[in-house]
Amino acid sequence: MHKLMEIRWHGRGGQGVVTASRILAEAMLKEGKHFQAFPEYGPERMGAPVKAFNRVSEQPIRIHCGVTSPEIVVVVDPTLLGTIDVLEGMKEDGTLVANFDGSPQELRKLLGFDSGKVFTLNASHISREVLGRVMANTPMLGGLCRAFDQVSLESVSEALKAQFGEKLRPEIIDKNITCLKRAYEEAQQG
Amino acid sequence: MAKVIGLNGNAAVANAMRQINPHVVAAYPITPQTDCVERFAEFVADGRVDTEFVTVESEHSAMSACVGAAAAGGRVMTATSANGLALMWEIVYIAASMRLPIVMMVANRALSGNINIHCDHSDTMGARDAGWLQLFSENAQEAYDNTIMAIKIAEDMSVRLPVMVTQDGFIISHALECVELLEDEEVQKFIGPYKERYPMLDLKNPVTYGPLDLFDYYFEHKWSQIDAIDHCLPVIEKVSAEYGKLSGRNYELLESYKLDDAEVGIVALGSTCGTAKEAVDRMREAGKKVGLLKVRCFRPFPTEQVIKTLSPLKGVAVLDRSATFGGFGGPVFTEIRSALYDAPERPLVIDFLYGLGGRDIFMEDIEMAHSRIEGVVKKGRIDTHVDFLGLRE
């Protein structure tokens, strides 16, 4: 079936949101799909809210405008929940995947969102435990794998290894893979 | 075997440059082109190319170094954007006047002010009269393909003119997409070894470049430049056809999308064409007889082909991503409308300025342009020749 899926990432400058969207794109390549990954380039400052986008399709993607009505929204930074409208333009039956210390029901209540699907996981906690620092982008990729059936944990792991292979030590890459897997298992749907 | 990888437009062109392995690259970084030159500099540092990479203190020097190296007898490339291109201005003209086959990637960006780093075509449209060939790219794949073809076109013995290959800044330059690369050897075989023509380093046959040229012969020299660029279209077609055989990706001067039975057409350049194709499909599903004309080659302008393709239509909406202040519409509109003036049958043509400074263009905007031209056709007359898309009121 030819369907274009659009994904929007929310985070803050320095949290690896753009990197996460690139890793997802590389994972889609491994699955033989067509993809786009692009950030929103505004004034880039550490800590300022930033967005990145993915498009995924079985067919070549021709459209080159911004993503305004995504099927999936991923929120990497929990302080953005309730601060900015992360659900803006999201499809009615869309999926929200958020780094959130609480249940999907609690998040639904916080955002006043009662349709679609909600996945929550405490990505900050997972990364602090495994990596020793808060780097929520990799666990959020694991959470996304749970919510998005067109991408497997295996291809994301491989893409992550390829992305970080030249920059990080092997043990750090292994820890990132652990983050990914733990997040996949710990994500709650509701 | 060709392989598909994920690259943004800048990386795609940097890889084309790596495979071309030019003798000299002189470039100065400017957003959004920087990423391309940085990646190429890495290839140089890693010894993956033999290129002499000249780091310069400005774009004026970058183009000057390119002119010197090309006149000396080298295969030369560079890249820039917006204000960088503006700073090269003087030497951009000189490169063409000296018939030097330099290839330059331009990541299209708005020319100030106010300061803006995002896409519009005001930079390359300003340079449209500099004597360079200009090829516009819809996506990263086309930016890669056009860069390789540009070398062969520029260096053709009947062309020997510089070529600009454009891609939309950020929209293409910074968006990761699927790109299929040729093998390094395939690229080398396709472009062939560089053929010198009157190299300054041939000391046995000394030549002069750029001497004083007043009312005695300057006009004749300009005529020869006009004549040369006027004869480039068949070479671009020939090289594109050869490239099609090699890569399986076929390029023409103009790409006609669903225009065969269309009543009205949209004309656009660059990344907007991808979005416009989706919009055309959506309008076709709603029973609208509409198509798209994508202008890949803007210089030289393929006048005859434009007439042939557009004159059977009833209406044409041109999308211009740059303004000509005080002129009659944008540069693409002027060109299209002028080409159609003598056509036995001609459509009504209106212009839309859009997307300045990176203002996004959505399918709905293109549908709006369509409904406007549809209305003009129904009425049989144009009330507003030049209008705006996506402008806040």
Side-chain angles (χ1 to χ4, degrees), chain A residues 10 28 121 128 186:
Chain A
H10 289 277
M28 300 318 300
L121 66 137
R128 196 183 296 115
E186 289 179 21

Side-chain angles (χ1 to χ4, degrees), chain A residues 22-91:
Chain A
R22 287 180 158 260
I23 292 172
L24 177 65
E26 292 288 347
M28 300 318 300
L29 178 66
K30 290 178 196 307
E31 309 238 349
K33 294 196 167 65
H34 292 269
F35 58 81
Q36 287 177 349
F38 55 100
E40 182 182 76
Y41 284 96
E44 291 153 62
R45 302 176 304 272
M46 188 83 93
V50 293
K51 288 182 231 172
F53 307 93
N54 284 110
R55 284 195 175 98
V56 178
S57 174
E58 300 285 343
Q59 306 288 328
I61 302 170
R62 300 182 297 188
I63 193 166
H64 276 107
C65 57
V67 169
T68 51
S69 50
E71 275 80 10
I72 301 176
V73 170
V74 187
V75 183
V76 176
D77 188 302
T79 67
L80 292 171
L81 296 164
T83 313
I84 60 164
D85 184 7
V86 296
L87 298 174
E88 186 187 8
M90 191 175 84
K91 297 246 161 62

Side-chain angles (χ1 to χ4, degrees), chain B residues 38-60:
Chain B
E38 272 177 1
R39 285 169 195 263
F40 186 75
E42 267 179 37
F43 294 140
V44 175
D46 293 346
R48 297 184 67 189
V49 289
D50 311 308
T51 306
E52 176 77 31
F53 187 88
V54 188
T55 51
V56 283
E57 80 289 0
S58 76
E59 285 85 356
H60 190 277

